[in-house]
Amino acid sequence: MNDVPTRLPQSLYTCGTLVALKLQNVSLADVRFPVCFQLLKTLHLDLVIFLDDESPKKLLSSCPVLEVLDLNRPEDDYVDTFSVTVPSLQRFIYRAVEGGDELVMNTPSLKYFRSKDFGLRCVIEQMPEIVEAHVEAICSTDDILRSLAPVKRLLLCLSLESPFPSGCVFHKLVHLEFCTCEIEWFLLMSMLQHSPKLRSLKLNKIHEKGGEYHPIHWIEPSSVPETLALVLETFEWRNYRGWKVERQLAAFILKHSRRLKIATFSPPANTVMRVGLRTTLKRKYGMIRELARLPRGSTECELVFG
């Protein structure tokens, strides 16, 4: 790919018959607005450079029936606050590198949202139609979680400082995948306490960080979330290492999940390469024995170790 952003002819931006458009390593700094994309339903912006904060607003406002937006922002696209105000948008994939940028969203029809954002701030309006979301962020998360309250399937990977929004309830959430790479367990407990229909829980260390990272200490909550006692049916823990703090959490979930049908634990895939096959098997059987001895609140719970 050419390092210098391409400048495309102005005639492209007035092609009213386009239905899908992908711009990669393109500069829109000299585009003359308004433009016309009356029929455009799918738009990919991959490493696109703008003139200023107003340029993305003008571009998106020219797409009245846009349904899919895939946005991959470069390190410097000359936009401080990227506003996505698209009433028709149903699917939004957002990626941004580290920086001080801000994402502002007003997408009332959105059904699918995927975000990998290493910026500092996100401002998201309510998304009443949201069904599925994958959120990896180190930005302020109160707005994100509150806006995602109607979601049915959710993947979360948030920073240590992420708060749980007061009064927020995930009334429709049935599946939660929770990243354990850098997180305190209190946020997980808050999610369980405020997700009354959660049937499936998956824990997974999605990202590899330098060195051995041990999760923050486990403090057993004073009360058991009703989700565990009455609703949860499947539990999966990928990249389970058998550390003391992980065993404590596993013991709590297994003990109090009265309707649990299956609990699956999988060790990290790279364990064999780091410590050798013999040591890996020894660790694996040790973890199996430890997990098998843990009390289970459900007599129907099948324990699987992959």
Side-chain angles (χ1 to χ4, degrees), residues 180-181 204-209 211-215 237-247 265-271 274 283-284 286-287 290-291 305:
T180 63
C181 68
N204 188 12
K205 185 173 182 290
I206 298 173
H207 306 100
E208 286 294 334
K209 298 184 181 293
E212 284 280 307
Y213 174 76
H214 289 256
W237 195 329
R238 290 191 180 181
N239 293 299
Y240 178 81
R241 289 167 169 76
W243 293 333
K244 181 179 178 181
V245 66
E246 294 184 335
R247 289 199 307 274
F265 294 82
S266 305
N270 62 353
T271 302
R274 289 194 292 108
R283 287 186 181 180
K284 179 177 179 179
M287 285 189 283
E290 289 175 346
L291 291 168
F305 201 90

Side-chain angles (χ1 to χ4, degrees), residues 90 189 207 211 271 303:
Q90 298 186 27
M189 289 297 106
H207 306 100
T271 302
L303 188 65

Side-chain angles (χ1 to χ4, degrees), residues 107-111 125-131 147 149-151 172:
T107 52
S109 299
L110 201 66
K111 292 180 173 60
E125 300 294 333
Q126 295 298 314
M127 297 185 288
E129 302 298 322
I130 193 71
V131 175
S147 300
V151 77
K172 299 179 182 179

Side-chain angles (χ1 to χ4, degrees), residues 66 225 233 297:
L66 190 67
E233 296 180 352

Side-chain angles (χ1 to χ4, degrees), residues 54-267:
E54 292 301 312
S55 298
K57 293 181 183 179
K58 293 175 181 177
L59 175 64
L60 295 176
S61 66
S62 302
C63 308
V65 296
L66 190 67
E67 296 179 354
V68 178
L69 176 60
D70 190 324
L71 175 59
N72 181 22
R73 298 180 64 182
E75 186 172 355
D76 188 2
D77 56 7
Y78 300 100
V79 179
D80 293 323
T81 300
F82 203 110
S83 296
V84 179
T85 301
V86 185
S88 59
L89 198 65
Q90 298 186 27
R91 184 179 179 90
F92 182 28
I93 299 174
Y94 178 79
R95 297 175 295 279
V97 298
E98 185 174 357
D101 298 319
E102 181 178 49
L103 172 67
V104 177
M105 289 174 56
N106 187 348
T107 52
S109 299
L110 201 66
K111 292 180 173 60
Y112 178 91
F113 178 49
R114 179 185 291 269
S115 171
K116 189 171 185 180
D117 179 19
F118 297 98
L120 297 180
R121 181 163 171 75
C122 312
V123 179
I124 303 179
E125 300 294 333
Q126 295 298 314
M127 297 185 288
E129 302 298 322
I130 193 71
V131 175
E132 182 172 354
H134 299 231
V135 177
E136 304 173 40
I138 63 171
C139 60
S140 173
T141 57
D142 184 271
D143 285 337
I144 293 179
L145 290 177
R146 195 177 299 279
S147 300
L148 292 173
V151 77
K152 293 183 179 180
R153 299 180 61 84
L154 177 62
L155 180 151
L156 278 182
C157 183
L158 304 178
S159 69
L160 287 169
E161 296 80 15
S162 299
F164 187 86
S166 175
C168 184
V169 179
F170 290 79
H171 288 288
K172 299 179 182 179
L173 188 64
V174 295
H175 174 77
L176 172 64
E177 181 171 353
F178 200 83
C179 182
T180 63
C181 68
E182 190 178 34
I183 200 78
E184 291 197 44
W185 299 127
F186 80 89
L187 184 58
L188 173 61
M189 289 297 106
S190 295
M191 290 296 301
L192 293 178
Q193 290 167 353
H194 297 86
S195 304
K197 295 183 179 180
L198 190 71
R199 296 198 304 268
S200 173
L201 173 64
K202 179 179 179 180
L203 303 182
N204 188 12
K205 185 173 182 290
I206 298 173
H207 306 100
E208 286 294 334
K209 298 184 181 293
E212 284 280 307
Y213 174 76
H214 289 256
I216 302 300
H217 63 284
W218 160 254
I219 299 178
E220 185 168 320
S222 57
S223 61
V224 178
E226 288 190 5
T227 295
L228 293 183
L230 303 175
V231 184
L232 195 69
E233 296 180 352
T234 63
F235 174 55
E236 181 180 2
W237 195 329
R238 290 191 180 181
N239 293 299
Y240 178 81
R241 289 167 169 76
W243 293 333
K244 181 179 178 181
V245 66
E246 294 184 335
R247 289 199 307 274
Q248 291 172 333
L249 176 58
F252 179 81
I253 292 176
L254 292 175
K255 178 181 179 181
H256 296 291
S257 299
R258 300 176 190 172
R259 294 178 178 268
L260 200 62
K261 297 179 180 179
I262 185 167
T264 304
F265 294 82
S266 305

Side-chain angles (χ1 to χ4, degrees), residues 271-273 275-285:
T271 302
V272 175
M273 293 187 296
V275 302
L277 179 59
R278 189 170 184 176
T279 305
T280 299
L281 291 175
K282 185 177 180 181
R283 287 186 181 180
K284 179 177 179 179
Y285 290 134

